[in-house]
Amino acid sequence: MKYFIADPHFGHVNILQLSNRPFNTIQEHDDTLIKNWNNAVKPTDEIYILGDLTMSKDGKYANSLLSKLNGRKYLIIGNHENYLNDTAFDKSQYVWIKDYYEFNYKTIKFVLFHYPILEWNGYFRKSIHLYGHVHNTRQPYFESIMDKRAKNVGVDIINYTPISIDTIIDEIGRAHVWTPVTD
């Protein structure tokens, strides 16, 4: 199974207030996210992290964190992946690291990017754009301007638990009628 998550911000004390996350301490936050992740994602599942795993610049911290999380991990680089520059970080923790990625699943093109895109490759066809970055601070605004086939997979929106590809398809399918587009 494929899962998605964005903006967990592990170890980032200020994120509790900035995104109004319902945790008393960063330790409670991190422990809950790790527990939710591992309850949803099996070791053989694929998990796409759409940026901002942690604000830490410490590669050893990122190594330790990633070793606690289930799944084959793929990273779409966000604006806070500073640990990637630390020579102590083991990049083999990820299957790959990219800025942007597209793939097809059950006849649907998926476009992954840390930032929301108003129109993406395949926009006029059967496609879904997954993004993060905006947390929950401007969610009503983004919902008003983004197509219903664009989904924020930030932890603040997905109940601090990775979301499966099939759940995304079901949610978007309820909000959008798939219509074929001819050339």
Side-chain angles (χ1 to χ4, degrees):
M1 180 62 64
K2 293 179 188 296
Y3 288 88
F4 305 89
I5 196 166
D7 304 300
H9 283 251
F10 284 105
H12 181 196
V13 174
N14 290 339
I15 201 65
L16 300 179
Q17 282 189 316
L18 292 171
S19 289
N20 196 29
R21 293 189 179 176
F23 304 100
N24 294 316
T25 66
I26 195 62
Q27 188 65 53
E28 178 189 0
H29 169 273
D30 290 359
D31 289 347
T32 300
L33 267 67
I34 291 168
K35 179 182 169 211
N36 291 355
W37 181 308
N38 289 335
N39 284 340
V41 179
K42 295 177 179 63
T44 56
D45 289 333
E46 295 179 351
I47 176 112
Y48 295 82
I49 304 162
L50 275 64
D52 295 358
L53 175 73
T54 178
M55 291 282 289
S56 177
K57 296 178 182 180
D58 184 347
K60 288 181 182 177
Y61 169 77
N63 291 336
S64 173
L65 174 62
L66 286 164
S67 71
K68 295 175 187 173
L69 299 169
N70 285 344
R72 297 180 61 230
K73 300 163 202 76
Y74 301 79
L75 178 66
I76 300 294
I77 298 172
N79 54 307
H80 295 299
E81 254 64 60
N82 297 315
Y83 62 92
L84 294 175
N85 298 322
D86 185 344
T87 57
F89 179 67
D90 176 10
K91 291 185 179 176
S92 73
Q93 295 269 3
Y94 291 115
V95 175
W96 52 246
I97 299 168
K98 299 181 181 207
D99 291 315
Y100 173 97
Y101 184 63
E102 297 177 3
F103 68 92
N104 292 313
Y105 178 82
K106 294 185 178 179
T107 73
I108 300 169
K109 177 187 287 280
F110 280 80
V111 174
L112 311 182
F113 194 48
H114 179 64
Y115 306 98
I117 309 169
L118 286 175
E119 286 190 17
W120 55 89
N121 187 20
Y123 178 81
F124 293 105
R125 290 181 170 68
K126 195 171 182 180
S127 65
I128 293 174
H129 166 45
L130 303 180
Y131 65 94
H133 184 67
V134 297
H135 298 265
N136 60 353
T137 57
R138 298 179 307 278
Q139 188 61 18
Y141 168 72
F142 278 93
E143 286 177 356
S144 73
I145 64 167
M146 298 294 286
D147 187 276
K148 300 289 186 227
R149 294 167 298 131
K151 172 107 177 124
N152 182 347
V153 295
V155 298
D156 305 289
I157 305 302
I158 60 171
N159 201 29
Y160 309 98
T161 303
I163 187 169
S164 75
I165 195 165
D166 290 334
T167 299
I168 290 167
I169 292 169
D170 288 345
E171 288 179 3
I172 290 176
R174 285 193 298 272
H176 179 80
V177 177
W178 296 107
T179 53
V181 177
T182 57
D183 289 328

